[in-house]
Coordinates of all heavy atoms in Angstrom, one line a residue:
Chain A
T65 N 9.1 22.8 -3.1 CA 10.2 22.1 -3.9 C 9.6 20.9 -4.6 O 8.6 20.3 -4.1 CB 11.4 21.6 -3.0 OG1 10.9 20.6 -2.1 CG2 12.0 22.7 -2.3
I66 N 10.2 20.5 -5.7 CA 9.9 19.2 -6.3 C 11.2 18.5 -6.7 O 12.1 19.1 -7.1 CB 9.0 19.4 -7.6 CG1 8.8 18.1 -8.3 CG2 9.6 20.4 -8.5 CD1 7.8 18.2 -9.4
M67 N 11.2 17.2 -6.4 CA 12.4 16.4 -6.7 C 12.1 15.1 -7.4 O 11.1 14.5 -7.0 CB 13.2 16.1 -5.4 CG 13.9 17.3 -4.8 SD 14.9 16.9 -3.4 CE 13.7 16.5 -2.2
T68 N 12.9 14.8 -8.4 CA 12.7 13.6 -9.1 C 13.7 12.6 -8.5 O 14.5 12.9 -7.7 CB 12.9 13.7 -10.6 OG1 14.2 14.3 -10.8 CG2 11.9 14.7 -11.1
F69 N 13.7 11.4 -9.1 CA 14.5 10.3 -8.6 C 16.0 10.6 -8.5 O 16.7 10.2 -7.6 CB 14.3 9.0 -9.4 CG 15.0 7.8 -8.9 CD1 14.3 7.0 -8.0 CD2 16.2 7.4 -9.3 CE1 14.9 5.8 -7.5 CE2 16.8 6.3 -8.9 CZ 16.2 5.5 -7.9
S70 N 16.5 11.4 -9.5 CA 18.0 11.6 -9.6 C 18.4 12.8 -8.8 O 19.6 13.0 -8.7 CB 18.3 11.8 -11.1 OG 17.6 12.9 -11.6
E71 N 17.5 13.5 -8.1 CA 17.9 14.7 -7.4 C 18.1 14.4 -5.9 O 17.2 13.7 -5.3 CB 16.9 15.8 -7.6 CG 16.8 16.3 -9.0 CD 15.8 17.3 -9.2 OE1 14.6 17.0 -9.0 OE2 16.1 18.4 -9.6
N72 N 19.1 14.8 -5.3 CA 19.4 14.6 -3.9 C 19.0 15.8 -3.0 O 18.6 15.6 -1.9 CB 20.9 14.3 -3.6 CG 21.3 13.1 -4.4 OD1 22.2 13.1 -5.2 ND2 20.7 11.9 -4.1
T73 N 19.2 17.0 -3.6 CA 19.0 18.2 -2.8 C 18.4 19.3 -3.7 O 18.8 19.4 -4.8 CB 20.3 18.7 -2.2 OG1 20.9 17.7 -1.4 CG2 20.1 20.0 -1.3
K74 N 17.5 20.0 -3.1 CA 16.9 21.2 -3.8 C 16.6 22.3 -2.8 O 16.0 22.0 -1.8 CB 15.7 20.8 -4.6 CG 15.2 21.9 -5.5 CD 14.3 21.4 -6.6 CE 15.0 20.8 -7.7 NZ 14.1 20.5 -8.9
S75 N 17.0 23.5 -3.1 CA 16.7 24.6 -2.2 C 15.8 25.6 -2.8 O 15.7 25.8 -4.0 CB 18.1 25.3 -1.9 OG 18.9 24.4 -1.1
N76 N 15.1 26.3 -1.9 CA 14.2 27.4 -2.3 C 14.3 28.4 -1.2 O 13.5 28.3 -0.2 CB 12.8 26.8 -2.4 CG 11.8 28.0 -2.8 OD1 12.1 29.1 -2.9 ND2 10.5 27.6 -2.9
G77 N 15.2 29.3 -1.3 CA 15.4 30.3 -0.2 C 15.9 29.6 1.0 O 16.9 28.9 1.0
R78 N 15.2 29.8 2.1 CA 15.6 29.2 3.4 C 15.2 27.7 3.5 O 15.4 27.1 4.5 CB 15.1 30.0 4.5 CG 15.7 31.5 4.6 CD 15.1 32.3 5.8 NE 13.6 32.5 5.6 CZ 12.7 31.8 6.3 NH1 13.0 30.8 7.1 NH2 11.4 32.0 6.0
Y79 N 14.5 27.2 2.5 CA 14.0 25.9 2.6 C 14.9 25.0 1.7 O 15.2 25.3 0.6 CB 12.6 25.8 2.0 CG 11.6 26.6 2.7 CD1 11.1 27.8 2.2 CD2 11.0 26.1 3.9 CE1 10.2 28.5 2.8 CE2 10.0 26.9 4.6 CZ 9.6 28.1 4.0 OH 8.7 28.8 4.7
T80 N 15.4 23.9 2.3 CA 16.2 22.9 1.6 C 15.6 21.5 1.8 O 15.5 21.1 2.9 CB 17.7 22.9 2.1 OG1 18.2 24.2 1.9 CG2 18.5 21.9 1.3
A81 N 15.3 20.9 0.7 CA 14.8 19.5 0.7 C 15.8 18.5 0.2 O 16.6 18.8 -0.6 CB 13.5 19.4 -0.2
T82 N 15.9 17.4 0.9 CA 16.8 16.3 0.5 C 15.9 15.1 0.2 O 14.8 14.9 0.7 CB 17.8 16.0 1.6 OG1 17.1 15.5 2.7 CG2 18.6 17.2 2.0
L83 N 16.5 14.2 -0.6 CA 15.8 13.0 -1.0 C 16.8 11.9 -1.0 O 17.9 12.0 -1.7 CB 15.1 13.1 -2.4 CG 14.5 11.9 -3.0 CD1 13.4 11.4 -2.1 CD2 14.1 12.1 -4.4
D84 N 16.5 10.8 -0.4 CA 17.3 9.5 -0.4 C 16.4 8.5 -1.0 O 15.5 7.9 -0.3 CB 17.8 9.1 0.9 CG 18.7 7.9 0.9 OD1 18.6 7.1 -0.1 OD2 19.6 7.8 1.8
A85 N 16.5 8.2 -2.3 CA 15.5 7.3 -3.0 C 15.8 5.9 -2.5 O 14.9 5.0 -2.7 CB 15.7 7.5 -4.5
D86 N 17.0 5.6 -2.1 CA 17.3 4.2 -1.6 C 16.5 3.9 -0.4 O 16.0 2.8 -0.2 CB 18.8 4.0 -1.4 CG 19.5 4.1 -2.8 OD1 19.0 3.7 -3.8 OD2 20.7 4.5 -2.8
T87 N 16.6 4.8 0.6 CA 15.9 4.5 1.9 C 14.5 5.1 1.9 O 13.7 4.9 2.8 CB 16.7 5.2 3.0 OG1 16.7 6.6 2.8 CG2 18.1 4.6 3.1
K88 N 14.1 5.7 0.8 CA 12.7 6.3 0.6 C 12.4 7.3 1.8 O 11.4 7.2 2.5 CB 11.7 5.2 0.6 CG 11.9 4.3 -0.6 CD 10.7 3.3 -0.8 CE 10.9 2.5 -2.1 NZ 9.8 1.5 -2.3
Q89 N 13.4 8.2 1.9 CA 13.2 9.2 2.9 C 13.5 10.6 2.3 O 14.4 10.8 1.4 CB 14.2 9.0 4.1 CG 13.9 7.7 4.9 CD 14.9 7.5 6.0 OE1 16.0 7.9 5.9 NE2 14.4 6.9 7.1
S90 N 12.8 11.6 2.8 CA 13.0 13.0 2.4 C 13.0 13.8 3.7 O 12.3 13.5 4.7 CB 12.0 13.5 1.4 OG 12.2 14.8 1.1
S91 N 13.7 15.0 3.6 CA 13.6 15.9 4.8 C 13.5 17.3 4.2 O 13.9 17.6 3.1 CB 14.9 15.8 5.6 OG 16.0 16.2 4.9
L92 N 12.9 18.2 5.0 CA 12.8 19.6 4.7 C 13.4 20.4 5.8 O 13.0 20.3 6.9 CB 11.3 20.0 4.5 CG 11.1 21.5 4.1 CD1 11.6 21.8 2.7 CD2 9.7 21.9 4.3
H93 N 14.5 21.1 5.5 CA 15.2 21.8 6.5 C 14.9 23.3 6.3 O 15.0 23.8 5.2 CB 16.8 21.6 6.3 CG 17.6 22.2 7.4 ND1 17.7 21.7 8.6 CD2 18.4 23.3 7.3 CE1 18.5 22.5 9.4 NE2 18.9 23.5 8.6
I94 N 14.5 23.9 7.4 CA 14.2 25.4 7.4 C 15.3 26.1 8.2 O 15.5 25.7 9.4 CB 12.8 25.6 8.0 CG1 11.8 24.8 7.2 CG2 12.5 27.1 7.9 CD1 10.4 24.9 7.8
T95 N 15.9 27.0 7.6 CA 17.0 27.7 8.2 C 16.6 29.1 8.7 O 15.8 29.8 8.0 CB 18.2 27.9 7.2 OG1 18.6 26.7 6.7 CG2 19.3 28.7 7.8
A96 N 17.1 29.5 9.9 CA 16.8 30.8 10.4 C 15.3 31.1 10.3 O 14.8 32.0 9.7 CB 17.6 31.9 9.7
S97 N 14.5 30.3 11.1 CA 13.0 30.4 11.0 C 12.5 31.8 11.3 O 13.1 32.6 12.0 CB 12.4 29.4 11.9 OG 12.8 29.7 13.3
Q98 N 11.4 32.1 10.6 CA 10.7 33.3 10.8 C 9.2 33.1 11.2 O 8.7 31.9 11.0 CB 10.7 34.1 9.5 CG 12.1 34.5 9.0 CD 12.0 35.2 7.6 OE1 11.0 35.4 7.0 NE2 13.2 35.5 7.1
L99 N 8.6 34.0 11.8 CA 7.2 33.9 12.3 C 6.3 33.4 11.1 O 5.4 32.6 11.3 CB 6.7 35.2 12.9 CG 7.5 35.7 14.1 CD1 6.8 37.0 14.6 CD2 7.5 34.6 15.2
S100 N 6.6 33.9 9.9 CA 5.8 33.5 8.8 C 6.0 32.1 8.3 O 5.2 31.6 7.5 CB 6.1 34.5 7.6 OG 7.5 34.3 7.3
D101 N 6.9 31.4 8.9 CA 7.1 30.0 8.6 C 6.1 29.1 9.3 O 5.9 27.9 9.0 CB 8.5 29.5 9.0 CG 9.6 30.1 8.1 OD1 9.3 30.4 6.9 OD2 10.7 30.2 8.6
S102 N 5.3 29.7 10.3 CA 4.3 29.0 11.0 C 3.2 28.5 10.0 O 2.6 29.3 9.4 CB 3.7 29.8 12.1 OG 4.6 30.2 13.1
A103 N 3.1 27.2 9.8 CA 2.2 26.6 8.8 C 2.3 25.1 8.9 O 3.0 24.6 9.8 CB 2.7 27.1 7.4
S104 N 1.5 24.5 8.1 CA 1.6 23.0 8.0 C 2.4 22.7 6.7 O 2.2 23.3 5.7 CB 0.2 22.4 7.8 OG 0.2 21.0 7.7
Y105 N 3.3 21.7 6.8 CA 4.2 21.4 5.7 C 3.8 19.9 5.3 O 3.8 19.0 6.1 CB 5.6 21.5 6.1 CG 6.0 22.9 6.3 CD1 5.8 23.5 7.6 CD2 6.6 23.6 5.3 CE1 6.1 24.9 7.8 CE2 6.9 25.0 5.5 CZ 6.7 25.6 6.7 OH 7.0 26.9 6.9
I106 N 3.4 19.8 4.0 CA 2.9 18.6 3.5 C 3.8 18.0 2.5 O 4.3 18.6 1.6 CB 1.5 18.8 2.9 CG1 0.6 19.4 3.9 CG2 1.0 17.5 2.3 CD1 -0.8 19.9 3.3
C107 N 4.1 16.7 2.7 CA 5.0 15.9 1.8 C 4.0 15.1 0.9 O 3.1 14.5 1.3 CB 5.9 15.0 2.6 SG 6.9 13.9 1.6
V108 N 4.3 15.2 -0.4 CA 3.4 14.5 -1.4 C 4.3 13.7 -2.3 O 5.2 14.2 -3.0 CB 2.6 15.5 -2.3 CG1 1.7 14.8 -3.2 CG2 1.8 16.5 -1.4
V109 N 4.1 12.4 -2.4 CA 4.9 11.5 -3.3 C 4.0 11.0 -4.4 O 2.9 10.5 -4.1 CB 5.5 10.4 -2.5 CG1 6.4 9.5 -3.4 CG2 6.2 10.9 -1.3
T110 N 4.4 11.1 -5.6 CA 3.6 10.7 -6.8 C 4.2 9.4 -7.4 O 5.4 9.3 -7.5 CB 3.6 11.8 -7.8 OG1 3.0 13.0 -7.3 CG2 2.9 11.4 -9.1
H111 N 3.3 8.5 -7.7 CA 3.8 7.3 -8.5 C 3.0 7.2 -9.8 O 2.0 7.8 -10.0 CB 3.6 6.1 -7.6 CG 2.1 5.6 -7.5 ND1 1.2 6.2 -6.6 CD2 1.4 4.7 -8.2 CE1 0.1 5.5 -6.7 NE2 0.2 4.7 -7.7
A112 N 3.7 6.5 -10.7 CA 3.1 6.4 -12.0 C 2.4 5.0 -12.1 O 2.9 4.0 -11.6 CB 4.2 6.4 -13.1
S113 N 1.2 5.1 -12.7 CA 0.4 3.9 -12.7 C -0.5 3.9 -14.0 O -1.4 4.7 -14.1 CB -0.5 3.7 -11.5 OG -1.4 2.6 -11.6
G114 N -0.2 3.0 -14.9 CA -1.0 2.9 -16.1 C -1.2 4.2 -16.9 O -2.3 4.5 -17.4
G115 N -0.1 5.0 -17.0 CA -0.2 6.3 -17.7 C -0.7 7.4 -16.9 O -0.6 8.6 -17.3
S116 N -1.2 7.1 -15.7 CA -1.6 8.2 -14.8 C -0.5 8.4 -13.7 O 0.3 7.6 -13.4 CB -2.9 7.9 -14.1 OG -4.0 7.7 -15.0
Y117 N -0.6 9.6 -13.1 CA 0.4 10.0 -12.1 C -0.5 10.3 -10.8 O -1.2 11.2 -10.7 CB 1.2 11.2 -12.5 CG 2.2 10.8 -13.6 CD1 1.8 10.7 -14.9 CD2 3.5 10.5 -13.3 CE1 2.6 10.3 -15.9 CE2 4.4 10.1 -14.2 CZ 3.9 10.0 -15.5 OH 4.8 9.6 -16.5
I118 N -0.3 9.4 -9.8 CA -1.2 9.4 -8.6 C -0.4 9.9 -7.4 O 0.6 9.3 -7.0 CB -1.6 8.0 -8.3 CG1 -2.1 7.2 -9.6 CG2 -2.7 8.0 -7.2 CD1 -3.3 7.9 -10.2
P119 N -0.9 11.0 -6.8 CA -0.2 11.5 -5.6 C -0.7 10.9 -4.3 O -1.9 10.6 -4.2 CB -0.5 13.0 -5.7 CG -1.9 13.0 -6.3 CD -1.9 11.9 -7.2

Side-chain angles (χ1 to χ4, degrees):
Chain A
T65 64
I66 176 172
M67 287 188 292
T68 58
F69 186 87
S70 59
E71 296 175 298
N72 300 117
T73 303
K74 184 163 284 189
S75 293
N76 179 2
R78 295 179 295 103
Y79 301 102
T80 299
T82 64
L83 174 64
D84 185 333
D86 292 331
T87 61
K88 298 187 176 181
Q89 295 180 325
S90 176
S91 65
L92 181 69
H93 186 74
I94 304 175
T95 304
S97 61
Q98 299 176 359
L99 298 180
S100 59
D101 292 331
S102 295
S104 179
Y105 292 84
I106 302 172
C107 176
V108 184
V109 184
T110 298
H111 75 277
S113 176
S116 296
Y117 289 78
I118 313 297

